[in-house]
């Protein structure tokens, strides 16, 4: 004959469940102190270069050159289809002076040089852009 059912003893602690009303408070990682596109210091102006291609295939050819280690300004001279033929240099641009998609891409990038560029890609009404930033202020 079976005796009374035993229920497990309660420890007084309730199992922790995520509460959607509270914020996750994980300890910060020291590596997070390095500026990344998500943590860039705010800038009111950027010194930028770009490569503009009307066709996606031409943009992909320019990307292949960059990935193989070519300098950004050399690739811009060869592939860019706009008036910024001086290595793609657009100069200093203040926030609000560029097309929205281009500006979001450019202001989200960290600073790099033409020899070892960090670039972003975007598409505007003008075509496909490969963008890099040489300075922020």
């Amino acid at each position: 004959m079976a005796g009374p059912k035993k229920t497990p003893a309660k420890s007084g602690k309730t199992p922790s469940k995520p509460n959607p009303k509270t914020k996750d408070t994980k300890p910060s990682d020291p590596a997070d102190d390095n500026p990344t596109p998500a943590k860039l210091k705010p800038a009111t102006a950027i010194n930028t270069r770009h490569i503009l291609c009307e066709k996606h295939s031409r943009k992909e050819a320019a990307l292949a050159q960059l990935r193989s280690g070519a300098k950004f300004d050399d690739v811009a001279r060869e592939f860019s289809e706009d008036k910024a033929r001086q290595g793609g240099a657009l100069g200093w641009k203040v926030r609000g002076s560029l097309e929205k998609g281009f500006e979001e891409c450019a202001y989200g990038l960290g600073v790099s040089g033409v020899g070892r560029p960090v670039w972003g890609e975007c598409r505007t009404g003008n075509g496909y852009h490969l963008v890099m930033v040489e300075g922020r202020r």
Side-chain angles (χ1 to χ4, degrees):
M1 194 151 109
K5 271 187 168 179
K6 291 186 179 180
T7 58
K10 293 186 177 182
S11 66
K13 293 182 181 178
T14 56
S16 64
K17 294 180 184 176
N19 184 347
K21 294 181 181 178
T22 61
K23 292 183 179 179
D24 187 9
T25 56
K26 291 181 181 178
S28 64
D29 184 354
D32 288 347
D33 294 339
N34 295 332
T36 61
K39 295 189 176 195
L40 290 171
K41 292 181 181 178
T44 57
I46 54 173
N47 186 8
T48 187
R49 290 181 182 264
H50 81 142
I51 300 167
L52 172 64
C53 301
E54 290 180 16
K55 303 254 184 214
H56 184 266
S57 58
R58 187 162 174 89
K59 182 217 36 141
E60 290 297 316
L63 268 176
Q65 292 287 320
L66 290 172
R67 289 182 179 136
S68 71
K71 290 185 175 185
F72 193 93
D73 55 343
D74 293 339
V75 176
R77 282 186 198 94
E78 182 180 346
F79 288 92
S80 195
E81 299 171 359
D82 73 339
K83 64 181 180 179
R85 290 269 182 195
Q86 299 139 346
L90 296 175
W92 286 96
K93 298 294 180 185
V94 295
R95 210 176 268 278
S97 67
L98 300 165
E99 284 191 49
K100 185 178 180 177
F102 186 99
E103 187 168 287
E104 287 175 1
C105 177
Y107 276 89
L109 292 170
V111 175
S112 64
V114 293
R116 297 187 69 196
V118 174
W119 63 85
E121 300 178 50
C122 65
R123 184 175 183 187
T124 67
N126 295 319
Y128 299 91
H129 299 266
L130 299 174
V131 185
M132 70 164 286
V133 174
E134 292 186 293
R136 299 172 66 86
R137 58 180 178 199

